[in-house]
Every structure is written in C-alpha cells, then in structure tokens.
Amino acid sequence: MTSNLVKSDENRKKRKNEEKNESSENTQMSSFEKMDLSLSESSQAVLKTEALEKVLNDTSKEINILLSKYVHILSERAAMDASYVEELGGILKEAGSIEYHLRLKWENLKHRFAAMTGPLQSENVLSSK
C-alpha cells in the first residue's frame, strides 16, 4: 500500500509538473503570439509608411514635372511677348518715320500752293484794277 501511495504521490507530482509546464508553455505561447501580433502590427505600420512615402514621392515627381512644363510654357510666352513688344516698337518707329515724311510732304505742298497762289493773286489784283 505504501508503494501505491508513493506511486500516487509521484503521479500527482508529475501531473503538477505537467500542468506547470503546460501553463508556462501557454504563457510563453501567448507572449510569442503577442510578439508576433505586435510584429505584424509594426510591419503593417512600416508597410503603410512605405506605401505613403511611395505615393508622396510619385506625387512630388508629378508636381515637379507639371511645374517644369508650366515654367517652360511661361518662358515661351514671355519670349513671345518680348518679340511682340519688339515688333510693336519697330512698327511705331516706322509709323513715326512715315508721319515725319508725310509732314515734310505736307509742308512742301503748302509751299508749292503758296508759290502758285502768289502769282495768281497778283494777277487777280491787277486785273481787278
């Protein structure tokens, strides 16, 4: 009988040890699971951050492309405006030159008419007397 008691005591100890081992394994597994869960959450955060950085980089590249196109268009238009201003300056200079020549011709015509009317007026004065 004492051997039975010793065996049952040994069995109890074994069961307690097994229970302790199982509970420690469960505790360890749950902590490992927690670590896996926290790792997966942090890896998801890293992936989200990387995805966001990629989107931001792509957006930044597109914005830079659009800005360079805009700058190119503005520089072309500025060059075109400058050529229009230059062309307009040439037209105004030519118009001033034409105006000067027309004034000279007008003055010449006035002098010619004055020269022609002088003798006519003197003939009219003589004939009316």
Side-chain angles (χ1 to χ4, degrees), residues 19-33:
E19 287 175 3
K20 282 182 184 178
N21 285 340
E22 285 178 10
S23 69
S24 70
E25 283 178 8
N26 286 340
T27 307
Q28 287 177 352
M29 289 180 73
S30 66
S31 67
F32 285 134
E33 288 172 356

Side-chain angles (χ1 to χ4, degrees), residues 61-96:
K61 287 177 185 175
E62 287 183 38
I63 288 172
N64 286 335
I65 289 169
L66 290 174
L67 285 175
S68 66
K69 285 181 182 178
Y70 183 69
V71 166
H72 181 70
I73 289 170
L74 284 180
S75 65
E76 283 180 347
R77 289 194 177 173
M80 194 181 309
D81 288 349
S83 71
Y84 288 157
V85 167
E86 193 175 314
E87 186 178 351
L88 182 61
I91 290 170
L92 289 175
K93 187 176 180 180
E94 188 177 343

